[in-house]
Every structure is written in C-alpha cells, then in structure tokens.
Amino acid sequence: MADLLTTTNLSKSFGSLLVIDSFHMHLIEGEALGIIGPNGAGKSTLFNLITGSLHPNSGSIVFDGADITRMPAHDRCRAGIGRSYQIPHPFVGMTVFENLLVGAAFGSGRGESESYDFCAQILKLSGLLEKSNVLAGSLTLLERKRLELARALATRPKVLLLDEIAGGLTEHEVKELIATINSIHAEGTSIIWIEHIVHALLSVVSRLIVINFGQKLDDGNPKIVIKSPEVQKVYMGISVE
Amino acid sequence: MINSSRYWVQRSTATSRLGAVLGIMLLAVLISVPYWGGRAEMRLLVEVFYILALAQLWNLLAGYGGLVSVGQQAFLGFGGYMLFVFSIHVGVGAVWTIPLAGILGALISLPVAFLVFRLRGHYFAIGTWVVAEVFMLIFAQIIALGGGSGASLPVSVVRSIASSRSVREATIYWVALAVVVAVIVVIYLLLRSRHGLALTAIRDSEEASRSLGVDNFRAKLMVYIFAAFGTAAIGALIFLTKLRISPAAAFDINWTTTVIFIVVIGGIGTIEGPIIGTIIYFLLREPLADYGSWYLILLGSTAVLIMLKAPQGIWGLISERFELRFFPVQRQLRWTVNDD
C-alpha cells in the first residue's frame, strides 16, 4: 500500500514558540491512525497544517502524490482531506441538510442536485436524518459533533481528520460514535484521529503516534506504544487506559 | 443503495407561495402608480426604491459576504458622475447611462478590491471609507465636471428622456422600480443557487466553509463586484432624479450609514430584513423630518435599542416567532415515510 499522506521536516512556530518541531509522519492508504499527547503538544496545530488552516514555517506535506504545502485550504478539501473541528463550527443559520450540501457541492467535485441522495444517506448513517430540516444552531452537543463528522463525509474525503470528536460525550454516545467511525473506515476512508479518550481510540486505530512539545515521541502498535515508559512519563503515571 | 426517488428537496413553503402572490399583486399596484398617483408620492416611492436596492446590496455584501464596507458611496458617487460624463460629454441617453455606470462601477471595483481585500475586519471597513474619500478628492479635481462645486444636468439632457414632465417622471419612476425589482430578484436567485450555499456558509463560519471546499476569496470577490455594479447603477439613477451633482453629495458617507441603519434594524443576513428596515426608516422619517436633530437622535436610539434587544433585527424576531419565510432560499429534505 502506498503512502496517502506524508509530512517531512514540518515546523511551525507562533512567535518564538515552536509548536511543531521537524515533524515526520506518514499515513498508509486505508489506515486508521491515532494521535495522542498532552494538552498543548501541537496536535491540533498539526491538523491545521495538514488542512491548510495554517502554513508551516518549513518542511513539506505530500498528499496523494502531490506536494500540497502551499495549496489553499479549500483546494486541499477538494483533493480529499476532510476534517472535523474539536469545537464544532456548524453553519448555525442553515439546516442540517444544507450544512452537508455545502461540503457536497463544493468539496466533493459533484453538483448540488446530484448530491441530495448522497447527503441523505450520510444523514441516515450518522443518525441525523430526523434533524435534516432543523437549523444547525439548535442542535445539542452530540448532534453538533455528529454534524461535524457528517459534513466532512459529504466532501467524499480520502482521509478524514477527526479532532477530539468523542470529547464531552457520554459513554453510550462514545460507543455509537465508534461504531459510525468504524463503518466509515470499513468503506475505505483513511482516518487520522486525535483523541484524549484512549480506549475509544484503541477500538478504531491500528497505529498510534504520541506527540509532546511538537515532536514525535513514539509511533507504532497502539498496545505497545501506550505501555512504553516515555508515554507513561508524559502522562505522569496516570493510566492512559 | 437508497432508491433516488425516495429523497427529494422542496424549496417553497406555504408562506412563500402566499408571499409570491402578494408580491405580484403589490408589484402590479406599484407599476400602475404613475396613472393615478400624485407627484409627491411618486418622488417618495422612487427614493424608497433606490434606498431599498442599496440596502439589499449592502446586506449581500456584509450580511452574507462578511464584507462590512462603509465606503459603498465610492461606487454610488462614481456611478452618479458617470451619468454626467456620458450624458453630457458623450451623448448617451440619460437612462442608458444607468447600466453603463454599473458596468464601469464593476470594472473600477477590481483595482479597489485588490487594495481593500488585503485588509481584515475593522481595517477593511476603514480602508473602504478611505477609498471613498480618495474618489471624492479625485472627482473634485476634474474641472470639466465642475470641480469641487459640482455640475447640473443640462435641460437638453433632461428633455431627451421625454419632452413632457409627467412622462419623464413616470419613466424615472418605472426605471427605479425596475432597478429595485431586478436587484431583489438577482439576489434571491443567487442565494437559491449553489453560490447561495457558499455565501450563507461564509456568513456563518468562514473557517468551516473553507475546510469544506468553498473558495471564500472568490465568493467574496464576486459579491463585491456585483455590489459595486448595482451601487454604481443606482448612483446614476439617484443623480438623474436630483439633476445636480457635487463631490460632497455624491460621496457622502450618509448614503452608506443610512443603509447600514436599515439593514441592522430590519435584520441582517436575510432578504426580508432590508425590506422591513426600509419601511421602518421611511415611516420614521416622513413624520419626523421637520424636527431636525431630534429626528436623527430618535433614529440613532432606535438603532441602539434594536441592536441591544434584538440583534437579529425586527425580521429576525418575526421569523423566529412565526416561522415565516417569504423568500424560500432554504432547501427542505423530504422523504417517503415507509422506511426499511
């Protein structure tokens, strides 16, 4: 299997603060990759660099065989990078269905009316069909998180970047979310998932990267990685399971 | 796979169908005004039409595109001057200078956008105002257009519209009505289209729209050029009714502040909002215009009160309470009830 995404020597600083430090990573096509690390380790910044919300100070990003380091965010979405935000950013004045249509009509490369059925199917998959015609501003937190995911799926991504999508949900809600993400992965979409709820992460991903101070601390089999002394030290002895 | 016939999208609502019928009836009445209305009423309505058209354009710009411009008077004044340039010096028929001013306004908006689009947020607002002041200073230098003191439209140009005064006034009335109807129809169709999805998304979250594949810059530029086109065309129309132009009158910031007042009190980010706002503005203005400063104080207090108590404007309050929508830009997903 070929690499779908690679970052080489990626660095980003805000003023004198180095947030991502010479970061190397790769994602194999079809893989589900997890990322953990303490708060402020640079996880979300890494996502912002990959999606084009931020531009790196140095280094390069290659996606699907093309260098996308200088590509604007909307073109990266069209190329197949979908994302969900840690803090949901719904289009509050649009209906749930229309939220998805934006992604389908602009991010997927297909027309608006050709996407109606596709969006309806995603709404069904993510349990939002009954809320289709409700304004997104009136959704609960769980529904907003689902909308983040559904909207990213509407762009027909090759890789889906999930940023703490399970945060703030109840145990039961997390289980439902895992089932949804597993079915998306089973259909062939690659996944990179940042998550603090490690057990949720471990039921989906086949590889785990640990970040601390913008650097890669560990990368490998999730079960081995979380038991490594370095990871235990970063989490200050708190059991990550 | 789900059969394609099970899902479909509905656009119209009961209120929108009622609204369409009422709208066509209102339009028929407005078209007939010159046959029975008085001169004063027609003058007032022409002003209502062009202010409403300006408000719709500013709402598209700020309410959807997030481009809070306080310098639209740059294009309005430019369009007004184009009426004088082309009707006096080139010999174009006065009414035909209106679309011509629009096209030239759209062209001049390109270099302006190149400058002001580098600015964000408050800086954008101030930048657009500075551009408008620069336009004023430039036009004040042109001696052929009367310099700082301005110029009047020659009688021959005025007569070329129509020789009799009543036909002339009816013509200008119908042109103004056509302009406002065209502006509303084009904005409505734009918002119903795929571009409307993008603009509404940008209105709600620029960050998210970008990450879903929307080219925010392109969408904003498109809106900016369209607003410049419309505003310049309306500028030519306004000074055709006033017959006299000066840099101070043409590039007056009050053109834009009036329109901002209307959009904010009516409800920003909706087509209905500017219509409600325009009605309220003229209802307040007509009886109070004789009270001078008190009228302005009342207008200002109204704006502050509404911003505090109903940030979504009067239409926001009404549409929330009664779920009303006269311009159905929304897409409602429908499906057959018997599920698998």
Side-chain angles (χ1 to χ4, degrees):
Chain A
M1 280 285 210
D3 277 353
L4 183 62
L5 177 77
T6 50
T7 73
T8 312
N9 233 346
L10 206 61
S11 292
K12 175 72 187 175
S13 51
F14 298 121
S16 60
L17 185 68
L18 194 58
V19 186
I20 293 290
D21 186 3
S22 310
F23 200 86
H24 290 269
M25 67 160 272
H26 72 108
L27 176 79
I28 299 164
E29 211 173 325
E31 194 180 19
L33 170 68
I35 296 179
I36 59 168
N39 287 325
K43 305 182 297 292
S44 291
T45 305
L46 179 66
F47 268 16
N48 286 332
L49 291 172
I50 294 172
T51 58
S53 293
L54 292 173
H55 289 284
N57 299 99
S58 61
S60 68
I61 307 166
V62 173
F63 177 71
D64 211 9
D67 188 320
I68 60 161
T69 316
R70 296 271 140 232
M71 192 186 265
H74 63 268
D75 283 332
R76 295 191 202 196
C77 168
R78 292 173 189 178
I81 300 178
R83 84 175 295 182
S84 78
Y85 286 93
Q86 183 181 350
I87 299 157
H89 286 45
F91 302 128
V92 291
M94 302 174 89
T95 68
V96 169
F97 173 62
E98 288 174 318
N99 268 257
L100 266 72
L101 268 185
V102 174
F106 290 89
S108 80
R110 304 190 192 200
E112 186 198 319
S113 51
E114 301 161 52
S115 304
Y116 290 157
D117 264 27
F118 181 61
C119 290
Q121 286 174 51
I122 297 170
L123 286 170
K124 204 170 175 194
L125 172 79
S126 42
L128 285 170
L129 191 59
E130 297 303 317
K131 296 275 177 182
S132 296
N133 300 320
V134 167
L135 290 185
S138 68
L139 296 183
T140 64
L141 176 67
L142 171 66
E143 288 163 348
R144 283 174 189 233
K145 294 241 171 190
R146 283 190 173 151
L147 178 59
E148 279 290 316
L149 182 65
R151 212 167 52 169
L153 285 175
T155 68
R156 299 178 191 257
K158 293 186 179 121
V159 61
L160 192 55
L161 275 58
L162 305 171
D163 195 350
E164 293 195 23
I165 197 159
L169 302 186
T170 66
E171 197 58 26
H172 177 70
E173 289 167 347
V174 171
K175 277 204 181 100
E176 284 182 16
L177 191 68
I178 289 169
T180 310
I181 295 171
N182 269 325
S183 71
I184 294 161
H185 182 222
E187 281 180 32
T189 308
S190 307
I191 285 166
I192 308 180
W193 187 3
I194 294 176
E195 193 55 76
H196 277 303
I197 304 169
V198 177
H199 73 85
L201 203 54
L202 295 191
S203 55
V204 174
V205 303
S206 57
R207 183 158 64 93
L208 193 61
I209 288 178
V210 185
I211 304 182
N212 199 19
F213 295 115
Q215 289 177 322
K216 192 154 82 177
L217 214 60
D218 212 343
D219 182 349
N221 183 320
K223 296 210 164 56
I224 300 165
V225 166
I226 53 165
K227 293 219 161 59
S228 78
E230 281 159 317
V231 173
Q232 297 291 336
K233 205 172 92 188
V234 164
Y235 278 87
M236 293 193 300
I238 302 160
S239 167
V240 289
E241 277 180 286
Chain B
M1 278 299 276
I2 292 162
N3 191 314
S4 60
S5 62
R6 284 187 42 197
Y7 292 101
W8 67 96
V9 166
Q10 192 183 343
R11 305 300 291 269
S12 59
T13 63
T15 36
S16 76
R17 284 186 288 271
L18 177 69
V21 173
L22 291 176
I24 288 167
M25 281 161 63
L26 177 66
L27 184 61
V29 172
L30 288 175
I31 290 172
S32 72
V33 166
Y35 297 107
W36 50 267
R39 184 164 280 160
E41 286 81 35
M42 265 167 65
R43 270 182 170 277
L44 178 65
L45 280 173
V46 166
E47 200 184 349
V48 171
F49 296 157
Y50 67 66
I51 291 287
L52 174 56
L54 288 174
Q56 288 291 355
L57 290 167
W58 191 83
N59 177 49
L60 181 70
L61 202 58
Y64 286 92
L67 296 164
V68 183
S69 167
V70 290
Q72 289 309 99
Q73 66 275 18
F75 302 115
L76 191 146
F78 175 83
Y81 269 101
M82 289 307 108
L83 160 71
F84 285 73
V85 170
F86 284 93
S87 63
I88 301 172
H89 299 283
V90 185
V92 177
V95 171
W96 293 109
T97 64
I98 294 172
L100 186 62
I103 293 165
L104 294 168
L107 286 176
I108 200 88
S109 77
L110 289 170
V112 174
F114 179 77
L115 283 173
V116 295
F117 270 48
R118 289 155 189 267
L119 307 169
R120 297 266 161 262
H122 314 307
Y123 296 100
F124 174 83
I126 293 165
T128 54
W129 188 6
V130 170
V131 167
E133 293 293 302
V134 170
F135 271 51
M136 181 177 78
L137 294 172
I138 291 172
F139 277 95
Q141 301 305 312
I142 304 172
I143 304 301
L145 293 171
S149 51
S152 294
L153 213 53
V155 181
S156 62
V157 171
V158 179
R159 286 253 167 83
S160 76
I161 302 168
S163 47
S164 88
R165 186 169 169 180
S166 60
V167 176
R168 204 154 59 222
E169 282 175 345
T171 306
I172 289 174
Y173 174 88
W174 282 319
V175 168
L177 181 60
V179 165
V180 70
V181 170
V183 164
I184 293 176
V185 167
V186 169
I187 291 177
Y188 170 58
L189 293 177
L190 181 74
L191 290 177
R192 260 177 83 100
S193 76
R194 183 170 166 273
H195 299 292
L197 272 179
L199 286 171
T200 317
I202 291 170
R203 175 193 74 186
D204 289 351
S205 168
E206 290 194 27
E207 175 73 33
S209 66
R210 189 183 299 132
S211 80
L212 291 171
V214 176
D215 188 342
N216 292 358
F217 179 83
R218 220 185 107 200
K220 287 178 172 213
L221 185 63
M222 192 174 77
V223 161
Y224 191 75
I225 295 170
F226 175 68
F229 170 86
T231 307
I234 294 163
L237 169 69
I238 289 174
F239 288 94
L240 184 57
T241 68
K242 295 195 180 295
L243 305 175
R244 192 181 152 68
I245 199 165
S246 71
F251 299 98
D252 189 346
I253 192 172
N254 282 328
W255 289 117
T256 303
T257 52
T258 301
V259 160
I260 295 175
F261 169 83
I262 286 170
V263 173
V264 168
I265 62 164
I268 194 164
T270 61
I271 300 179
E272 293 89 344
I275 298 174
I276 304 272
T278 304
I279 293 169
I280 292 170
Y281 172 74
F282 280 97
L283 284 180
L284 284 175
R285 199 189 74 169
E286 286 312 299
L288 294 171
D290 296 335
Y291 294 92
S293 303
W294 284 108
Y295 151 69
L296 290 172
I297 291 167
L298 186 77
L299 221 54
S301 324
T302 310
V304 171
L305 194 73
I306 287 173
M307 278 187 257
L308 286 174
K309 294 289 170 198
Q312 290 307 306
I314 296 195
W315 179 251
L317 278 183
I318 297 172
S319 68
E320 203 176 314
R321 183 150 310 168
F322 303 104
E323 299 234 342
L324 284 180
R325 250 169 236 104
F326 285 112
F327 292 91
V329 292
Q330 221 177 46
R331 294 150 177 85
Q332 298 271 328
L333 183 66
R334 300 273 177 257
W335 60 90
T336 46
V337 189
N338 53 329
D339 223 33
D340 50 321

